[in-house]
Amino acid sequence: MSFLRPEAVAALRRRREVIAAGAVALAGLWIFGLGGYLFQALGLLTGALGAGLGFVATRRNRFRIPGNGPGIVQVDEGQITYLAPRGGGFVALSEITRIEMVFDETGARGWRLSQTRFPEVTIPASASGADALFDVFMALPCANPRAILSALDRSPADGPVTVWSRIVRPALT
């Protein structure tokens, strides 16, 4: 038996990382209040850690798209696996050449991952497990989190937008 409505529980689950970061920051304030140079220094470090975790958690939370998009996304050891009734596929992190935010006929957002030697894979942003893609995208060289997050604010009328591309240098002959 729960004392909270299911909608409230769902909202708390979506923001659990931000809540945990706030708890760490509050613990830092409490430690700082104990007095003494050692506790004040430890409290400042803990508070700074909580603030940093909160910043990252807020970005991750913004990347999550509510909904029940088709398919399941799994990330395992440098490989993105998208299992879906139609259009599923595999993408190796080392093979990604371009990431685009695209829209389907209904206006739903999706990530189109282009790769060398293999077909493109389009993953709905609201698919189960798609929130794990944020960490994968941030692991790419020169990834810009601001560009990736601002793509989520675009409308279908704006069309597809490239949020990351790998610089491919020609082979020396």
Side-chain angles (χ1 to χ4, degrees):
M1 179 174 172
S2 177
F3 294 103
L4 298 174
R5 293 187 325 236
E7 300 86 24
V9 171
L12 289 172
R13 278 197 184 122
R14 278 193 307 271
R15 293 172 181 84
R16 65 184 173 263
E17 291 181 40
V18 177
I19 293 168
V24 170
L26 286 175
L29 285 175
W30 179 75
I31 293 170
F32 183 83
L34 293 176
Y37 293 122
L38 176 67
F39 286 120
Q40 287 180 345
L42 189 60
L44 285 175
L45 287 174
T46 306
L49 175 69
L53 290 173
F55 179 73
V56 172
T58 302
R59 281 191 167 175
R60 269 196 198 141
N61 195 36
R62 192 169 160 218
F63 190 79
R64 289 186 182 106
I65 302 291
N68 294 326
I72 298 172
V73 178
Q74 295 175 339
V75 178
D76 187 31
E77 295 187 16
Q79 178 174 302
I80 301 167
T81 305
Y82 174 55
L83 305 171
R86 283 182 289 177
F90 303 91
V91 179
L93 188 59
S94 60
E95 297 292 322
I96 296 176
T97 58
R98 188 175 64 240
I99 300 172
E100 295 176 297
M101 168 60 73
V102 295
F103 301 93
D104 66 4
E105 311 80 43
T106 65
R109 292 168 174 79
W111 299 104
R112 181 185 302 148
L113 308 176
S114 301
Q115 54 186 336
T116 55
R117 300 186 312 249
F118 298 104
E120 295 177 336
V121 176
T122 302
I123 301 172
S126 61
S128 176
D131 53 337
L133 293 176
F134 182 74
D135 293 330
V136 173
F137 294 168
M138 292 301 102
L140 295 169
C142 300
N144 183 355
R146 184 173 295 154
I148 293 171
L149 292 173
S150 68
L152 293 170
D153 297 331
R154 297 178 70 94
S155 69
D158 296 333
V161 60
T162 301
V163 296
W164 182 86
S165 64
R166 184 180 306 272
I167 298 172
V168 180
R169 294 188 174 93
L172 298 174
T173 56

